Amino acid sequence: AQKITQTQPGMFVQEKEAVTLDCTYDTSDPSYGLFWYKQPSSGEMIFLIYQGSYDQQNATEGRYSLNFQKARKSANLVISASQLGDSAMYFCAMRDVIRVAGNQFYFGTGTSLTVIP
Amino acid sequence: DAGITQSPRHKVTETGTPVTLRCHQTENHRYMYWYRQDPGHGLRLIHYSYGVKDTDKGEVSDGYSVSRSKTEDFLLTLESATSSQTSVYFCAIRETSGRDTQYFGPGTRLTVL
């Protein structure tokens, strides 16, 4: 079973509008972490935001916020006031303590975001 | 900036040749990882290390070996490169304090002809 699911292969958003990138996760571990990474066309993986499973409030980092709905097992990324530089691939990831093939970090397949001027 | 470098950044090689990729970190992190990134697959773990000389397999380890003789260096070797190993390879470290998250190196683009 997929640990992290990103169902939107591609998204478009108008510049200055907000956009939500979807992510659902699967774990039976009560303690876990959720992450979002950005990968621009230059190729590097940039850490954006973190949410702990016990955090009471949704995480925010500047224009990025994580809409954490624990019961639904969703961790959507919200980007407010989109900019042209936000055009990139976005990956959702999770860390838990349940090891599959020695791994504790799981990544989704990514969502390609294009910001339209 | 987690102080991670990868070398080489780009490499073109021929089928059947051995290839070694190097990951170097400057901040004494215990955990290091090698991933490959392919379209439609996201990031897949190849091998990881939890200390000097301590390594373990990930989900796509066939055809790859690793070594870690020093804390700062984690080497990935393709014993006999195949075209299916054409990919972008990322090294990552795990920062276990605070958020306990991974930070990535710049990546190595490997083409096997």
Side-chain angles (χ1 to χ4, degrees):
Chain A
Q2 291 281 4
K3 286 269 193 174
I4 294 286
T5 302
Q6 294 180 255
T7 58
Q8 306 155 312
M11 291 279 287
F12 293 87
V13 64
Q14 205 73 37
E15 193 178 6
K16 300 180 185 176
E17 297 292 312
V19 63
T20 298
L21 305 184
D22 294 342
C23 173
T24 57
Y25 61 92
D26 181 29
T27 184
S28 56
D29 183 4
S31 176
Y32 52 90
L34 297 159
F35 312 86
W36 279 91
Y37 292 84
K38 173 184 179 181
Q39 186 177 41
S41 58
S42 52
E44 69 269 32
M45 292 285 286
I46 302 167
F47 167 76
L48 291 179
I49 195 166
Y50 164 81
Q51 179 85 42
S53 59
Y54 294 120
D55 293 343
Q56 294 297 311
Q57 294 192 324
N58 287 343
T60 59
E61 293 280 354
R63 293 186 299 109
Y64 304 108
S65 60
L66 200 153
N67 184 359
F68 180 44
Q69 298 189 39
K70 201 168 184 176
R72 294 185 175 186
K73 292 190 175 179
S74 74
N76 299 338
L77 177 70
V78 180
I79 305 174
S80 63
S82 297
Q83 302 173 355
L84 296 178
D86 294 333
S87 294
M89 282 290 288
Y90 289 82
F91 292 94
C92 180
M94 177 180 70
R95 168 189 44 76
D96 65 12
V97 296
I98 300 168
R99 291 183 180 274
V100 176
N103 193 18
Q104 285 180 259
F105 288 88
Y106 309 94
F107 288 82
T109 51
T111 295
S112 176
L113 177 67
T114 302
V115 180
I116 303 166
Chain B
D1 183 0
I4 310 165
T5 57
Q6 292 184 231
S7 58
R9 295 291 315 278
H10 301 271
K11 186 170 182 68
V12 179
T13 191
E14 293 190 349
T15 298
T17 60
V19 175
T20 295
L21 308 183
R22 180 185 184 231
C23 178
H24 179 79
Q25 55 124 339
T26 60
E27 297 183 359
N28 212 35
H29 295 289
R30 178 184 176 190
Y31 294 89
M32 298 183 74
Y33 303 78
W34 277 108
Y35 290 90
R36 60 179 288 174
Q37 184 181 28
D38 304 291
H41 290 279
L43 289 166
R44 293 183 291 174
L45 182 68
I46 305 171
H47 282 278
Y48 74 104
S49 170
Y50 47 96
V52 173
K53 292 189 168 57
D54 292 323
T55 65
D56 204 351
K57 296 178 179 180
E59 60 181 307
V60 290
S61 59
D62 287 349
Y64 301 95
S65 62
V66 290
S67 65
R68 192 167 178 202
S69 59
K70 300 185 290 185
T71 299
E72 58 265 34
D73 289 326
F74 191 30
L75 304 180
L76 177 71
T77 297
L78 290 64
E79 303 289 349
S80 177
T82 68
S83 58
S84 63
Q85 293 176 311
T86 293
S87 187
V88 179
Y89 291 86
F90 284 98
C91 173
I93 60 91
R94 178 179 175 182
E95 189 172 279
T96 53
S97 61
R99 296 162 174 164
D100 192 0
T101 191
Q102 289 185 327
Y103 295 92
F104 289 83
T108 293
R109 184 172 294 277
L110 175 68
T111 302
V112 183
L113 301 175

